[in-house]
């Protein structure tokens, strides 16, 4: 990964031509990734209530540079996202057992593919829980790393905790549909 003396708990905002995202790290592992400033503020508040000091990660820090490079490569369609998954994330540990089961199943959806909320619920042995699967997607603390954008409605893309336009762009990217560089607006 990196050889940096990065702060123990840090946050960073990264931007690509497809999306901007907020990340929180514990060491070198992302523990929270969101597309929304409001979700990021809630994450920082959660950590503040746990008396966990979080500081901004300088943009020239080796970890920040490595993460920006990984996000840019993903956004250009050059590779699946190459950020580590941290099962010890306090945001994952604070989730319900059902949410963790949904997120584990979402992580099994291959790059370039999607599953419906209903099919995911059925795979979990709860075919009537499609709405609950959608709620778990909305509560996902590690967008992209737990690729909830790959979970869609039976008729269309469904919802998205971030900007629905980001979900459309991510699905198109992963399905090999090239998007123009300035498509973010």
């Amino acid at each position: 990964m990196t050889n940096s003396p990065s702060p123990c708990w840090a946050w960073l905002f990264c931007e690509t031509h497809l999306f901007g995202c907020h990340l929180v790290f514990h060491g070198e592992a992302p523990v929270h990734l969101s597309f929304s400033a409001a979700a990021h503020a809630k994450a920082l508040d959660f950590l503040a209530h746990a008396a966990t000091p979080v500081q901004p990660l300088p943009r020239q820090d080796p970890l920040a540079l490595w993460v920006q490079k990984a996000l840019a490569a993903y956004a250009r369609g050059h590779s699946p996202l190459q950020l580590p998954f941290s099962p010890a994330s306090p945001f994952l540990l604070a989730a319900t057992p059902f949410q963790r089961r949904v997120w584990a199943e979402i992580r099994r959806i291959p790059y370039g593919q999607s599953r419906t909320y209903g099919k995911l619920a059925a795979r979990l042995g709860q075919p009537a829980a499609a709405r609950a699967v959608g709620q778990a997607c909305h509560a996902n603390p590690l967008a992209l790393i737990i690729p909830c954008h790959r979970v869609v409605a039976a008729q269309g893309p469904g919802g998205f905790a971030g900007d629905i336009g980001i979900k459309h762009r991510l699905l198109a990217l992963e399905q090999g549909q090239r998007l123009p560089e300035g498509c973010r607006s």
Side-chain angles (χ1 to χ4, degrees):
M1 219 173 287
T2 70
N3 292 323
S4 84
S6 300
C8 188
W9 288 90
W11 65 267
L12 175 69
F13 177 76
C14 290
E15 198 160 17
T16 73
H17 70 283
L18 293 182
F19 57 82
C21 64
H22 304 266
L23 297 101
V24 177
F25 298 90
H26 181 240
E28 293 185 345
V31 296
H32 195 274
L33 191 158
S34 65
F35 298 110
S36 145
H40 179 66
K42 282 184 182 180
L44 294 179
D45 189 53
F46 174 87
L47 293 171
H49 279 84
T52 303
V54 184
Q55 56 187 303
L57 188 62
R59 292 208 171 270
Q60 295 305 312
D61 182 279
L63 176 61
L65 295 170
W66 177 78
V67 168
Q68 184 64 45
K69 183 178 175 182
L71 289 168
Y74 167 78
R76 287 190 307 271
H78 293 170
S79 71
L81 186 62
Q82 301 294 319
L83 293 180
F85 173 72
S86 175
S89 163
F91 303 97
L92 295 177
L93 298 175
T96 68
F98 180 78
Q99 287 172 324
R100 287 193 298 269
R101 286 181 53 222
V102 169
W103 298 335
E105 196 61 37
I106 291 170
R107 291 191 67 235
R108 291 183 183 97
I109 302 171
Y111 181 90
Q113 295 183 24
S114 62
R115 302 286 185 273
T116 65
Y117 298 104
K119 285 188 180 181
L120 206 60
R123 281 199 49 87
L124 293 168
Q126 298 183 331
R131 184 177 296 258
V133 166
Q135 291 169 341
C137 288
H138 183 78
N140 176 9
L142 283 166
L144 293 178
I145 296 169
I146 298 173
C148 58
H149 61 277
R150 296 180 189 156
V151 183
V152 298
Q155 304 295 322
F160 195 59
D163 174 351
I164 192 68
I166 293 173
K167 182 173 186 169
H168 288 284
R169 291 188 295 273
L170 294 174
L171 288 169
L173 170 78
E174 291 188 4
Q175 292 168 0
Q177 302 168 8
R178 286 290 181 192
L179 300 168
E181 286 292 314
C183 71
R184 214 174 147 216
S185 41

